[in-house]
């Protein structure tokens, strides 16, 4: 089986990257993680990746004069590793249309909300303020507009009456760690049929 070679871009903790690395450790998983790259040298996830024998790199945005120069360096660092698909996983830099267009339909992201609701930051706090009863996460193709683009899959969780931002974030994150590996597998294997998976804690739907 020819596997899709994936670069995972992170900025910090990297727990979603870890879930992708763990999924890709299975022989029949259709993608392999060829690179974990951070824009911050102190990102905790870099150590995990190198401990797992994965190539790592850092393109520190602070060392570039502007976004254009940063993204040229980012693009070339990724291309050195023969990468087919880029997964953003807590990568905290907005990407310009230049980069997004270069990776059109080969750039996906996980967002901690049920898009198109709650684009941007502080999604859990805003969901609590609004009193929504369902919240969740979305994996989508990246387009130039922030947190937009065709949806690949979503997982929904209930918002409980005594939830805090942290308890809600924890419930959503547990689903992120299931949804992202499933969504990447579907993109990498080219499966397009809709699949719904209802378990006791959430509803996950992948296109
Ligand atoms: C996740 O909640 C992800 O959805 C968002 O940023 C967070 C990153 O967490 N884009 P981690 O670094 O993957 O642990």
């Amino acid at each position: 089986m020819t596997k899709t070679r994936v670069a995972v871009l992170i900025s910090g903790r990297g727990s979603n990257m870890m879930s992708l690395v763990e999924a890709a450790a299975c022989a029949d998983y259709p993608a392999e993680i060829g690179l974990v790259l951070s824009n911050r040298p102190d990102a905790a996830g870099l150590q995990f990746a190198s401990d797992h024998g994965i190539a790592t790199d850092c393109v520190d945005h602070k060392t570039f004069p502007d976004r254009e120069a940063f993204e040229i360096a980012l693009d070339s660092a990724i291309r050195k590793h023969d990468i087919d698909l880029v997964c953003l996983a807590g990568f905290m830099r907005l990407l310009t249309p230049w980069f997004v267009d270069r990776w059109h339909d080969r750039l996906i992201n996980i967002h901690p909300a049920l898009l198109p609701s709650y684009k941007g930051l502080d999604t859990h706090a805003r969901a609590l303020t609004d009193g929504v009863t369902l919240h969740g996460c979305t994996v989508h193709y990246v387009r130039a507009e922030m947190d937009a683009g065709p949806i690949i899959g979503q997982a929904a969780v209930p918002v409980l009456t005594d939830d805090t931002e942290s308890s809600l974030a924890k419930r959503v994150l547990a689903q992120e760690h299931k949804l992202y590996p499933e969504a990447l597998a579907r993109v990498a294997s080219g499966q397009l049929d809709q699949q719904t998976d209802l378990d006791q804690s959430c509803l996950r739907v992948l296109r």
Side-chain angles (χ1 to χ4, degrees):
M1 173 175 52
T2 309
K3 296 196 177 207
T4 300
R5 279 184 62 77
V6 172
V8 187
L9 272 49
I10 63 170
S11 294
R13 174 177 66 175
S15 69
N16 277 290
M17 174 273 294
M18 293 172 195
S19 73
L20 297 178
V21 167
E22 277 157 16
C26 293
D28 59 355
Y29 195 75
E32 62 186 338
I33 312 303
L35 174 67
V36 172
L37 184 150
S38 173
N39 65 308
R40 296 177 56 113
D42 58 350
L46 287 174
Q47 187 64 49
F48 173 92
S50 67
D51 289 348
H52 284 73
I54 295 166
T56 61
D57 199 355
C58 177
V59 180
D60 183 350
H61 63 278
K62 290 187 183 148
T63 64
F64 294 89
D66 51 34
R67 275 185 197 276
E68 188 187 3
F70 166 66
E71 289 187 358
I72 288 170
L74 182 65
D75 183 65
S76 101
I78 295 168
R79 284 175 198 277
K80 270 186 211 152
H81 293 268
D82 199 17
I83 295 300
D84 305 305
L85 185 79
V86 176
C87 290
L88 305 180
F91 185 68
M92 301 303 286
R93 299 298 297 168
L94 282 177
L95 294 165
T96 70
W98 178 82
F99 185 92
V100 171
D101 290 347
R102 270 177 91 76
W103 291 92
H104 188 83
D105 282 348
R106 296 189 300 140
L107 178 60
I108 67 177
N109 179 48
I110 186 155
H111 180 74
L114 293 173
L115 292 173
S117 295
Y118 304 115
K119 296 178 177 183
L121 299 173
D122 301 324
T123 57
H124 308 311
R126 287 189 283 143
L128 286 173
T129 301
D130 287 348
V132 297
T133 57
L134 278 178
H135 188 46
C137 50
T138 302
V139 176
H140 63 98
Y141 288 102
V142 176
R143 295 292 185 260
E145 188 192 332
M146 185 186 68
D147 297 329
I151 289 171
I152 299 161
Q154 293 185 301
V157 299
V159 181
L160 306 181
T161 47
D162 59 351
D163 263 334
T164 60
E165 194 178 337
S166 122
S167 64
L168 182 55
K170 193 172 167 198
R171 190 173 309 117
V172 172
L173 191 64
Q175 293 306 320
E176 292 184 41
H177 295 162
K178 294 179 183 173
L179 181 71
Y180 212 174
E182 290 178 2
L184 172 58
R186 292 179 83 78
V187 170
S189 61
Q191 288 176 299
L192 292 170
D193 296 340
Q194 188 149 316
Q195 171 191 300
T196 300
D197 171 13
L198 188 57
D199 70 26
Q200 287 169 347
S201 59
C202 87
L203 171 67
R204 255 188 339 275
V205 182
L206 291 142
R207 288 202 194 286

